[in-house]
Amino acid sequence: DRWLDGGTQAEEHKEAFLKLARWARGAQDHLGGWVVWSLLGMKCSSPYSAMTQGEGISVLTRAYAVTGDRLYLTAARAALRPLMLTVDQGGTSRLVGEGRILEEFPSDAPSGILNGWVFAMFGLYDFLLVEDHPEAGALLREALRALVACLPEYDAGYWSYYDLCGRLASPFYHDLHIAQLKALESAFPQEAAAFRQVRGEFERQRASPLCRAKAIVVKVCQKLRHPPEVVLR
């Protein structure tokens, strides 16, 4: 973004971005994935994260769009595979009645971390802007259909849930949910009304001192009862 905005450091930002894109391309494994959880010392049902795959696809797709180097497009195409594989196949998607959940943290039971699901979808969205890919298109439609169906489950009535397991979002993630829903409204006009409705409710909750205070208290209690598995230093 800073490169495209121009300015005195535009070339410096360009080189920094392309350096990251080259690293992402070289760090993929034989399935086109980026192994995440073992690096963090965490156990997971899949070595991959849908959010990581989606964000990696976005980086590679954008690198292709601005350089024309098809090696980036090939790498982005390869990165689709872990998103298409189900969790029991070692991938990151989970079949549900409404479509597919794209799991940021694949586990035995559905977790449906909201922000990671949305970031994964935007990786597919970016990729489809530069290549007509029927399988990626079908996956995005399935993920979109499931997300619209599950959205009400992320509303605690006074704040947003971080996931489908009942963990409340922190203020940071609540704000991120609002921003992501606004972006989804722009990207998917046919589903915009559903995203707008939930975003409006989350914004109302954020503006309420009572809702915010309740959310902070509940979040602190949840953290104390269930400390995070790993702390990044």
Side-chain angles (χ1 to χ4, degrees):
D1 287 345
R2 291 185 178 182
W3 167 26
L4 296 177
D5 280 343
T8 57
Q9 293 181 303
E11 286 302 310
E12 180 181 330
H13 291 311
K14 173 184 177 181
E15 288 308 313
F17 167 70
L18 292 178
K19 181 179 180 180
L20 292 170
R22 289 191 295 270
W23 177 88
R25 192 180 70 197
Q28 286 176 287
D29 66 11
H30 66 289
L31 286 179
W34 292 278
V35 173
V36 177
W37 306 116
S38 60
L39 298 178
L40 298 175
M42 298 174 69
K43 295 179 180 179
C44 203
S45 299
S46 167
Y48 310 113
S49 165
M51 185 174 79
T52 301
Q53 293 303 127
E55 292 181 332
I57 290 169
S58 286
V59 168
L60 295 170
T61 299
R62 290 162 191 247
Y64 164 69
V66 297
T67 65
D69 187 341
R70 295 191 67 84
L71 289 176
Y72 290 118
L73 181 61
T74 300
R77 192 184 301 121
L80 294 169
R81 183 164 175 77
L83 284 174
M84 294 178 174
L85 293 173
T86 58
V87 174
D88 59 0
Q89 294 172 325
T92 64
S93 69
R94 189 182 304 277
L95 292 170
V96 293
E98 300 84 0
R100 286 183 189 244
I101 297 174
L102 301 180
E103 296 278 23
E104 175 183 342
F105 189 87
S107 56
D108 293 337
S111 59
I113 296 173
L114 180 55
N115 80 91
W117 188 349
V118 176
F119 280 130
M121 286 174 54
F122 271 112
L124 294 169
Y125 178 86
D126 285 353
F127 180 77
L128 289 166
L129 291 176
V130 301
E131 180 166 284
D132 181 15
H133 193 288
E135 289 180 277
L139 178 58
L140 179 58
R141 289 191 296 272
E142 291 175 348
L144 181 61
R145 189 167 64 247
L147 180 61
V148 170
C150 291
L151 266 183
E153 299 181 44
Y154 290 97
D155 186 359
Y158 59 93
W159 206 251
S160 65
Y161 284 119
Y162 177 76
D163 56 21
L164 294 173
C165 302
R167 289 189 294 173
L168 211 63
S170 66
F172 170 84
Y173 279 106
H174 187 77
D175 287 346
L176 178 57
H177 292 162
I178 291 170
Q180 288 183 317
L181 288 168
K182 189 172 184 179
L184 288 167
E185 290 173 41
S186 299
F188 304 103
Q190 291 185 329
E191 293 79 15
F195 295 129
R196 188 179 304 113
Q197 179 180 354
V198 177
R199 175 174 64 87
E201 183 61 20
F202 288 171
E203 288 177 334
R204 181 194 66 77
Q205 295 165 357
R206 181 181 60 181
S208 166
L210 184 60
C211 288
R212 188 177 182 88
K214 181 177 180 180
I216 291 173
V217 170
V218 172
K219 185 64 180 176
V220 169
C221 290
Q222 288 184 340
K223 288 264 190 183
L224 291 174
R225 286 198 303 268
H226 305 286
E229 183 178 345
V230 64
V231 176
L232 300 182
R233 300 181 186 277

